[in-house]
Amino acid sequence: MSSNEGEGAAGVSEQNKGTWSAFLKSIASFSGDLSSLTAPPFILSSKSLVEFSSYWAEHPSVFVAPAHEKDPQKRALLVLKWFLSTLKQQYASRSEKFGNEKKPLNPFLGELFLGKWVDEAGTTELISEQVSHHPPATAYRISNKQHGVYLQGYNAQKASFSRTIHVKQIGHAVLTIPAYNDTYLISLPNLHIEGLIFGAPFVELNDSTYITSTSGFTAKIDFSGKGWLSGKKNSFTATMYPTGKEKDILYTVNGQWTKSFDIIEGHSKSGTVIDTYDADAHPPTPLTVAPIEEQDPLESRRAWAKVAAGIAEGNMEVTGAEKTKIEVAQRELRQREKEEGRTWVRRYFSQVDSDPILDHLGPIIGMSPETDKTGGIWRFDEGKYQALAANKQS
Ligand code: HC3
C-alpha cells in the first residue's frame, strides 16, 4: 500500500480499533460483488450507490461546453476536459480532506434517483435507476435539452483483494451531441482503496481509460498515484490523437484530477499550455431533488429514509431492522414475480441485445459488453420516458 497524504487525519477511534482490524482480516479473502461486503457500522454511508450517477454532471457548464464548439477536434478535447473534471466529484468528493470513503447502501432493483441542476447552463436532468440486482448494475441518463447534450450509461463493479480492495468497473458511458451527429464512447477507470490500514480509506484510480468518438478522435488517460518514492496522488496523463494514430499526439493533458490540470497542444515537452482547469475554481452546482414527502416510494432518499436516520443517529439496531425490512420486501416481490411468471419492469431503461455504438466504437478501445456482469446492455428508453411524462400531465 502506498503512503497516504491524509493518513492519521481521520483514523479509527480507540473504541473501534478491534472491529476495524477484524474487518481488514475478513476482506483479505474477499472477491466478487461489493454488495456482499460486510463493513463495520461506523463506515456505513447513508447514500445509496444509485446516487453516484449524479457525479457525472455536477458542473453543467463544462458538460454542455462541447455543444458550442464547431471544430470536431476541439469538441473532442472539450469532452475530454469535461470527463476529467468529473473525476474529483466521482472519486474524491466523499473524502475531500482526509480518507473517509464509506460503504454506500446497496440499491434495490428499481430504486430511482431523480433530480436536476438549474444554473447558467439551464436545466440538466438526471435519471438514475437500479436496473439489475444480481448482478448489481445502475443505469443513468443525464440530459441538457437546451444545449443538446445527452449522456447515458450503466455500471457494475467487481472487487478483489490483494493488499487492499481493488475494484474493476464494468460498463461504459455514451455522450451524444445530436447537432453534430457526434457520439463518444467512454470506458470507466479501475480503482483501489488506499489508507485502509490507517482506517482512513480513499479512492485512487489506476490503469487506463479511453474516450473514442464517431468524429475520429481517441483519448487515452493513464492514471497513477503516490508511490513509496515518487509521484503525487490522483495523477494522470492523457493524450488525444486521431483514432488509430496513437503517436500523432494532438493534445496532452496532465495534472491531478483532484486539483488542477494543464491542457497542452501537442506533446507535453514541446507543446504550449492552451488551457488549465482548476477544480477549486469550479464549485459544483447543487443537485435539486424533490422533497422526500413528494418523492415516489421507489426514490432512493424516500425509500432509505429510516435507514439513513438510523445511521445518522448511530443507532445500529434501527439501521439493521430498517434495512432488513427493505430486503425482505424485495425478496417477497421477487418471489411473487416468479410465481406469476413476471419480471420487474424497469421504469426508464430497457435491455437491448446489442448496441450499434458499442459494435462500432467498442473494438477501437478494446471494449465489448460483459452482459453476465451487468445483467445485460441497458439503454435509456425514450418511449417509456415520454409515456411517463404524458401520464404526469393528464
Ligand atoms: C468502490 C465503491 C463503490 C463503487 C463506487 C463507484 C465505482 C460507483 C460508480 C461511480 O460512477 C463511481 C464510483 C465511485 C466510488 C466507488 C466506491 C468507493 C468505495 C466503494 C466501496 C464499495 C466501499 C468499500 C468499503 C470501505 C471500507 C472502503 O469503506
Side-chain angles (χ1 to χ4, degrees):
M1 208 175 291
S2 62
S3 71
N4 169 5
E5 281 172 25
E7 74 196 43
V12 176
S13 68
E14 243 353 273
Q15 174 201 353
N16 287 329
K17 276 200 171 132
T19 323
W20 188 250
S21 48
F23 169 63
L24 293 184
K25 274 186 204 133
S26 78
I27 56 175
S29 55
F30 180 82
S31 104
D33 257 3
L34 280 163
S35 56
S36 59
L37 181 76
T38 314
F42 57 85
I43 201 90
L44 295 182
S45 160
S46 54
K47 196 176 193 155
S48 159
L49 213 44
V50 79
E51 288 205 23
F52 283 39
S53 309
S54 66
Y55 296 132
W56 283 104
E58 294 201 320
H59 298 109
S61 306
V62 188
F63 174 65
V64 302
H68 300 284
E69 177 54 66
K70 289 203 177 78
D71 176 1
Q73 179 177 316
K74 290 186 185 151
R75 203 157 59 236
L77 178 64
L78 287 173
V79 171
L80 172 62
K81 181 180 172 183
W82 154 75
F83 171 78
L84 295 168
S85 77
T86 67
L87 299 176
K88 179 178 176 187
Q89 297 306 119
Q90 297 259 22
Y91 302 103
S93 58
R94 297 163 302 281
S95 53
E96 207 129 345
K97 293 216 165 55
F98 45 78
N100 192 25
E101 186 73 54
K102 293 191 166 159
K103 179 165 188 310
L105 294 167
N106 298 325
F108 55 85
L109 182 59
E111 186 175 325
L112 300 169
F113 187 60
L114 312 173
K116 59 186 177 192
W117 296 270
V118 182
D119 64 3
E120 66 277 10
T123 298
T124 308
E125 187 190 16
L126 165 74
I127 293 174
S128 179
E129 178 171 359
Q130 191 69 9
V131 288
S132 174
H133 188 61
H134 285 305
T138 311
Y140 53 87
R141 202 281 290 252
I142 296 175
S143 57
N144 185 303
K145 291 176 189 149
Q146 185 185 324
H147 295 270
V149 183
Y150 301 84
L151 176 79
Q152 63 164 302
Y154 58 91
N155 47 42
Q157 300 86 35
K158 277 277 165 262
S160 60
F161 191 94
S162 161
R163 295 204 294 166
T164 187
I165 301 172
H166 294 263
V167 178
K168 181 179 176 322
Q169 290 205 72
I170 304 142
H172 58 268
V174 176
L175 183 97
T176 46
I177 309 176
Y180 301 113
N181 216 359
D182 252 8
T183 301
Y184 298 80
L185 177 67
I186 304 164
S187 62
L188 310 172
N190 294 332
L191 58 100
H192 63 274
I193 306 291
E194 296 220 356
L196 259 188
I197 203 149
F198 308 108
F202 69 96
V203 168
E204 184 57 281
L205 300 178
N206 45 264
D207 309 324
S208 310
T209 191
Y210 292 87
I211 305 175
T212 191
S213 70
T214 47
S215 56
F217 300 96
T218 299
K220 178 175 189 257
I221 305 123
D222 292 315
F223 295 102
S224 60
K226 184 169 165 59
W228 282 110
L229 298 172
S230 63
K232 286 185 182 160
K233 72 191 269 200
N234 313 140
S235 296
F236 71 90
T237 297
T239 52
M240 199 184 108
Y241 47 88
T243 299
K245 297 180 178 162
E246 203 163 333
K247 295 222 164 77
D248 295 353
I249 296 175
L250 302 168
Y251 304 103
T252 306
V253 189
N254 54 36
Q256 284 172 285
W257 48 267
T258 32
K259 293 188 173 153
S260 67
F261 53 81
D262 289 334
I263 302 179
I264 300 156
E265 192 153 21
H267 287 259
S268 64
K269 282 188 186 129
S270 52
T272 338
V273 176
I274 54 166
D275 193 6
T276 295
Y277 180 86
D278 179 1
D280 287 339
H282 291 81
T285 299
L287 180 81
T288 312
V289 295
I292 291 220
E293 58 289 359
E294 285 170 29
Q295 288 182 13
D296 185 283
L298 293 179
E299 278 185 71
S300 186
R301 291 191 189 169
R302 177 162 172 182
W304 291 105
K306 290 185 177 155
V307 173
I311 293 174
E313 286 162 19
N315 186 334
M316 287 309 131
E317 237 169 81
V318 170
T319 307
E322 292 300 332
K323 248 180 156 186
T324 305
K325 276 190 203 162
I326 294 180
E327 283 155 13
V328 169
Q330 283 293 307
R331 274 199 291 276
E332 286 173 0
L333 247 177
R334 300 289 90 79
Q335 184 57 33
R336 229 173 305 140
E337 284 166 5
K338 201 170 160 193
E339 284 161 15
E340 294 167 13
R342 295 183 287 116
T343 50
W344 178 260
V345 180
R346 279 73 177 166
R347 195 173 289 186
Y348 293 99
F349 296 84
S350 290
Q351 213 178 1
V352 294
D353 293 333
S354 64
D355 180 293
I357 293 299
L358 269 183
D359 295 344
H360 173 46
L361 295 177
I364 298 171
I365 56 174
M367 182 196 285
S368 52
E370 297 179 81
T371 48
D372 54 322
K373 298 186 179 105
T374 57
I377 303 176
W378 299 97
R379 285 291 173 250
F380 184 71
D381 193 324
E382 191 64 39
K384 286 182 175 176
Y385 176 71
Q386 294 299 346
L388 282 163
N391 237 344
K392 252 192 207 160
Q393 269 167 2
S394 64

